[in-house]
Amino acid sequence: MTFSPNAETVYADGPYTDPYDPSKPEIRALLTQYENAIEAYSSGAGSIAKDTRGNLYADVAHDSDVTAWVYADANTANNGVYRKIGASGSGSWSLILPLPYSFIIATDYGAGTANAIKASTTVPVSESALIWFQIFRTNDSSPVTISFNGDAPLTIKTNAGNDPAAGGLAQGMILFGVKSGATFRLLNDQVSTAIVAAAEAAQAAAEAARDAALSAVPNVFALTRTALKALNTATITSAFLKESGREGQFVWRSGDYSAKISADSAEGLFIKANAIASTVGAWVRVYDGDIQATWFGAKADDATDNASILNVAIASCMALGLRVLKLPPGVLRFGSTINFSSSYFAIRGAGIGATTLRRTFADGTAIYCAVAAPNPIQSIALSDFSMDTTVRVTNGSMIYVESGVGVWLDNLNIAGGFWQIGLGGCFDVHLTNISGVFGETNDTGEVGLVVTTRNASYGGNYGGNIFVDGCSFRTAFGNGGGGAGGRYGIEVVAVDGLFVSNSYFGYFKVSAAYIFNTLATVYVAGIKFSNCWFDCYEGNGVTLDGGVSSNFSDIEFVGCSFLGGANAQYNFRSAGNPSSVRLQGCHFAAVNGDNIRIDTTGLGFCVTGNTLFAADMDNTSGGDGIVINSGSDFTICDNVINGNNTSDNGIRLLTGTRAVVSNNRIRNCINGISIAAAFNYYSVIGNITVDNSGTGIADLGGPNKAVANNV
C-alpha cells in the first residue's frame, strides 16, 4: 500500500518552509492514512483465511482489493495470498502472492524407502520457501527422490546439480533445500565419505587401465611359439608373437591354467612356458572380438589341409566356452570331414567369395553338425563363406545338420557336392541367402536341399518349422547352357512345417522340387511355397509322389512361377496319396506334357486363380492345361488358360469323382473342357471357352452332374 505523504517526506530534515519543524498538517495526513489502513484490516481486509481455494471462491461477500489466504489446499499450487476483484457479493478472487513462509520444517518418518523419501509438513510447500528435514535412513543407490505431503516425487540434486552418490545422504543428516520444478535442490551437500569412495573407485579403475596398457606393451617380440615358451617369466611378462598367422599380444598370467592349456592343444589362446608348470601360470593371448581360426594354425593358402586344424579349433572353443570362430579371407582346403560338434556356436567367414572352404575328397560329408547321440545340437550358425570342390563328390553332403534345434545358415555359396545341404530331423531352422550350384550334366543323385529324418541313433524322427527364404539351387546349365543336371533342387522326405519363400529351383534332370512320401509313420505335411520359381528345362517343375504314410497333406503353392522347356514333361504333377493341396495365384507355362497333372488317390485339390500357357509345346506329345486322372474332391475355379494352339484341352477330367469347375476362361485349345465317361459327380458352371478349334465343352461324363451357364 502506498502512502502520500509518507513518513520519509514528513519527517525529513525539515519542511520546505522550516527545516527544523515538521508540518503539522502533513503529520495529520500521514496518521489519517495509518488509521484508515488499521480500520480496513480490522474490518476483514487481510484477515480472511480459508483452508481450500474452493471455500474461498465460495465467499465473495467482501469489498474489492481485500486480501485473503488459502493455506491447506490439497493442490499446493492453489495455496497463497489472493486479492478480491469486484464489489461485495460478486466478482472473484485472484492469486497474487505465495504464502509468506520463508522457512518450512519437514519430517521424514521413514514411510518411504532409502531412495524414495516421503516427508510431511504442517504448511504447504512452495518454491519460495527453504525446507529443512532430517534423513531417516541412508540411501544405497542413486538417483533419490522425495515427496512432500503425498505430492509428485521430486528428484534430489546436489548443490552442483548432480545425483547424490550411494551413501551420500546419511541417516540423521540434516538437509536444507528448495523445490525447483521437478527437482529438490540441496543447499548443503552430500557427505564427503561417499565422494571419497567414488574417487577411490575411479583411482582403482584408472590404475587397472594403466596396468592393462602397460601389459599391452611387449617386453620382447617372439618369432615363434617355441621362442615364447623359452622366455624368462620372472623378468618378461609381455610379448608379441610374430609367428605367421598366429600374430598377437600375449601376457604372462599367474594361476592354474592346466585345464585351459589341455583344452587348447593347438596353442591358439593359452601357451605353457617351458620352465613353469601349467598349474602356476601360462602365456595368455590378449584379444578383442571373435576367435580367429588362424590362431590355431589355419592357413587360407589353397594348399594346407585344414581339416584337423579346424576340428581342433572348434573343440578348443567348445571346451573353453567360446561362441564364435572366425575364418580368414582366402581359400581353406580340407581333406576330411569338419566336425561342427558344439551347441551354441557359430562359424563365420569374411563373406561370400572372400572366404572359401575347398573340399578335396569325394566320399562323405564336408561339414557335419551334430553332438553325441541321442542329444540334439542346439543354436548353431554357419555364415558368410563359399564352398566348392576339387573332385566330383559321389556321396555325402557339403553341410549336414543331424537333429538340430535352432539352426541358422546364412549368406552361403555352395558349388558342387552330392547333397549340398541336408537337414536330418531338424527343428526351427532358418536358411537365408544361400546359393547352391551343380556342374553336373547327368542325374547321379545330386540334390540341392534335402529335408529328411534324423539318424536312427538320434531317434529317427522328422523335423519341422523350417524356413527357407531368398535361396537358389540350380545346375550350372541354368545360366543358359545346353541342358540340365543333377536330380532335384529340393527333396522333402519328412517334415511337419516347411515354409519356402522367394527362392529359385531350376534345371534339374528329374524335378526342381520333389516331395516324396516314402517313410511310414512320419509326416510330410504343412508345406508352403510362396513366391518361388520352379524351372524345369527337363523333367518336372514340382512332383508330389509316394503313398506310404497317411500323413501326406496340407501342401500349398501360392504366387509361384512354373516354367518348362523343350524337354520338360509336367510343370506340376501329383501322384501317390497327397490330400489338401492348393495351387493359387501361380503361373504355369511351356511344357511338352501337361501344365498340371493329378494322378492321385488323395482328395481335396484346389486349383484357383492361376494362369496357364502352352501345354504340349511340340504339338505331338499330347498335353492339357489341367488334367485330373484320379482322386476326388477337386475345385478348379477362376483360372485363365491359353493353350497357344498347342494344348489338347484346357481342363480335362478323365477319372475321379466330385469336382467343381467354374469361372474359368479358356482359349486357343482344341477343347475348352473335356469330361470323360469315367468321371462322375461334378458341376461345370459359368466358364468361358472361346477361340478353341474343337468343342467348348465336351461332356461325356456323368450321370451325376450339373453343366450350365457356360459360354
Side-chain angles (χ1 to χ4, degrees):
M1 178 179 291
T2 303
F3 293 98
S4 179
N6 57 26
E8 183 179 4
T9 301
V10 174
Y11 290 100
D13 291 339
Y16 301 110
T17 57
D18 187 351
Y20 303 105
D21 187 11
S23 169
K24 290 183 179 180
E26 289 181 349
I27 293 172
R28 286 194 296 272
L30 177 62
L31 293 178
T32 298
Q33 293 179 86
Y34 290 165
E35 290 169 353
N36 291 339
I38 293 170
E39 181 179 359
Y41 280 109
S42 64
S43 64
S47 64
I48 304 167
K50 302 290 186 180
D51 57 349
T52 68
R53 188 179 68 175
N55 289 336
L56 177 64
Y57 280 7
D59 182 7
V60 293
H62 300 280
D63 294 334
S64 182
D65 293 330
V66 170
T67 59
W69 288 16
V70 174
Y71 60 87
D73 198 288
N75 184 348
T76 56
N78 294 338
N79 296 308
V81 179
Y82 288 75
R83 178 184 179 185
K84 178 63 168 50
I85 299 173
S88 179
S90 63
S92 61
W93 294 95
S94 175
L95 179 65
I96 57 174
L97 292 170
L99 293 175
Y101 297 125
S102 59
F103 193 90
I104 299 173
I105 297 177
T107 302
D108 175 8
Y109 289 108
T113 66
N115 307 306
I117 301 169
K118 293 183 180 180
S120 61
T121 65
T122 57
V123 296
V125 170
S126 69
E127 295 193 359
S128 63
L130 178 65
I131 303 169
W132 175 103
F133 68 95
Q134 188 174 30
I135 294 293
F136 184 84
R137 58 174 67 88
T138 303
N139 72 305
D140 53 18
S141 67
S142 189
V144 181
T145 62
I146 185 168
S147 171
F148 294 103
N149 304 317
D151 287 349
L154 308 173
T155 302
I156 297 178
K157 296 290 185 180
T158 66
N159 191 270
N162 301 313
D163 292 325
L169 306 180
Q171 182 180 12
M173 181 179 180
I174 295 176
L175 295 183
F176 296 89
V178 294
K179 178 183 177 183
S180 177
T183 66
F184 184 74
R185 182 65 68 89
L186 300 179
L187 300 185
N188 57 331
D189 224 327
Q190 57 185 316
V191 296
S192 60
T193 53
I195 302 173
V196 171
E200 289 173 345
Q203 178 188 11
E207 290 173 349
R210 176 202 64 194
D211 293 342
L214 290 175
S215 67
V217 179
N219 299 112
V220 298
F221 290 87
L223 294 178
T224 65
R225 283 168 290 149
T226 300
L228 179 64
K229 295 174 186 179
L231 295 176
N232 183 357
T233 60
T235 58
I236 301 174
T237 59
S238 178
F240 188 89
L241 178 63
K242 297 183 68 177
E243 185 174 338
S244 178
R246 294 175 176 262
E247 296 91 346
Q249 181 68 44
F250 282 79
V251 295
W252 178 257
R253 298 293 190 203
S254 298
D256 185 355
Y257 283 86
S258 57
K260 292 182 177 180
I261 288 175
S262 177
D264 185 12
S265 60
E267 300 178 329
L269 301 172
F270 302 94
I271 299 177
K272 180 187 177 301
N274 289 341
I276 306 294
S278 60
T279 56
V280 176
W283 287 103
V284 180
R285 182 183 289 273
V286 178
Y287 66 92
D288 183 25
D290 296 333
I291 305 300
Q292 304 296 319
T294 55
W295 297 346
F296 300 88
K299 295 184 182 299
D301 56 6
D302 199 13
T304 302
D305 185 348
N306 289 279
S308 62
I309 296 170
L310 292 176
N311 282 329
V312 169
I314 293 169
S316 296
C317 289
M318 177 178 66
L320 295 169
L322 304 172
R323 299 304 178 201
V324 178
L325 180 66
K326 188 69 177 290
L327 303 178
V331 178
L332 294 97
R333 288 193 172 220
F334 61 105
S336 57
T337 299
I338 297 171
N339 291 298
F340 190 127
S341 54
S342 178
S343 291
Y344 310 103
F345 190 63
I347 295 178
R348 298 175 185 152
I352 291 177
T355 297
T356 298
L357 290 173
R358 180 158 292 162
R359 171 181 179 150
T360 62
F361 59 104
D363 187 11
T365 296
I367 300 178
Y368 183 63
C369 305
V371 296
N375 301 308
I377 188 168
Q378 303 181 62
S379 299
I380 62 170
L382 292 167
S383 66
D384 303 303
F385 58 82
S386 300
M387 296 183 73
D388 62 22
T389 71
T390 62
V391 296
R392 187 176 185 278
V393 179
T394 57
N395 187 33
S397 300
M398 297 294 274
I399 298 173
Y400 193 88
V401 184
E402 188 80 76
S403 189
V405 178
V407 179
W408 280 262
L409 305 182
D410 178 50
N411 204 32
L412 303 174
N413 187 303
I414 304 172
F418 191 74
W419 290 359
Q420 290 182 324
I421 297 176
L423 302 174
C426 296
F427 284 91
D428 299 325
V429 180
H430 301 262
L431 275 63
T432 56
N433 194 28
I434 296 173
S435 175
V437 180
F438 288 103
E440 301 293 338
T441 59
N442 299 304
D443 163 27
T444 57
E446 294 82 3
V447 184
L449 171 62
V450 178
V451 181
T452 184
T453 58
R454 64 190 66 166
N455 185 279
S457 61
Y458 290 86
N461 296 324
Y462 54 87
N465 294 340
I466 298 172
F467 300 87
V468 181
D469 183 65
C471 296
S472 171
F473 294 93
R474 59 183 174 82
T475 68
F477 299 98
N479 289 332
R487 180 167 294 179
Y488 311 126
I490 178 173
E491 180 181 10
V492 182
V493 177
V495 75
D496 188 6
L498 170 65
F499 309 93
V500 185
S501 59
N502 308 308
S503 296
Y504 174 87
F505 305 90
Y507 275 68
F508 288 89
K509 280 283 188 182
V510 179
S511 191
Y514 192 65
I515 303 173
F516 192 26
N517 175 14
T518 186
L519 300 174
T521 70
V522 303
Y523 275 79
V524 187
I527 300 171
K528 182 175 183 178
F529 288 84
S530 59
N531 197 31
C532 292
W533 187 299
F534 304 97
D535 203 339
C536 53
Y537 183 83
E538 296 183 22
N540 300 335
V542 171
T543 303
L544 277 57
D545 200 2
V548 176
S549 171
S550 61
N551 303 311
F552 191 13
S553 63
D554 299 310
I555 302 170
E556 300 181 55
F557 295 84
V558 178
C560 297
S561 294
F562 298 74
L563 180 63
N567 301 309
Q569 187 174 10
Y570 307 116
N571 267 320
F572 179 91
R573 181 173 184 265
S574 177
N577 67 337
S579 297
S580 299
V581 178
R582 181 163 68 108
L583 304 175
Q584 180 175 348
C586 298
H587 177 68
F588 302 82
V591 288
N592 273 335
D594 308 311
N595 264 314
I596 299 174
R597 183 176 183 87
I598 300 173
D599 300 301
T600 179
T601 60
L603 53 86
F605 274 75
C606 182
V607 184
T608 62
N610 303 285
T611 60
L612 297 90
F613 178 80
D616 190 15
M617 284 181 59
D618 60 9
N619 213 15
T620 59
S621 303
D624 304 311
I626 302 170
V627 57
I628 308 298
N629 196 38
S630 62
S632 62
D633 298 295
F634 301 97
T635 301
I636 305 173
C637 300
D638 302 308
N639 300 288
V640 177
I641 302 173
N642 183 347
N644 195 40
N645 297 315
T646 61
S647 300
D648 292 344
N649 302 281
I651 299 173
R652 189 179 186 189
L653 308 181
L654 287 174
T655 305
T657 182
R658 297 191 299 272
V660 174
V661 181
S662 65
N663 299 319
N664 299 285
R665 288 172 288 171
I666 305 167
R667 62 191 298 264
N668 294 331
C669 300
I670 296 176
N671 298 313
I673 301 174
S674 175
I675 304 109
F679 208 97
N680 197 8
Y681 294 98
Y682 58 90
S683 66
V684 179
I685 298 174
N687 300 281
I688 300 175
T689 60
V690 296
D691 298 328
N692 299 295
S693 61
T695 303
I697 298 177
D699 181 15
L700 300 177
N704 302 292
K705 60 186 177 182
V707 180
N709 300 324
N710 298 289
V711 178

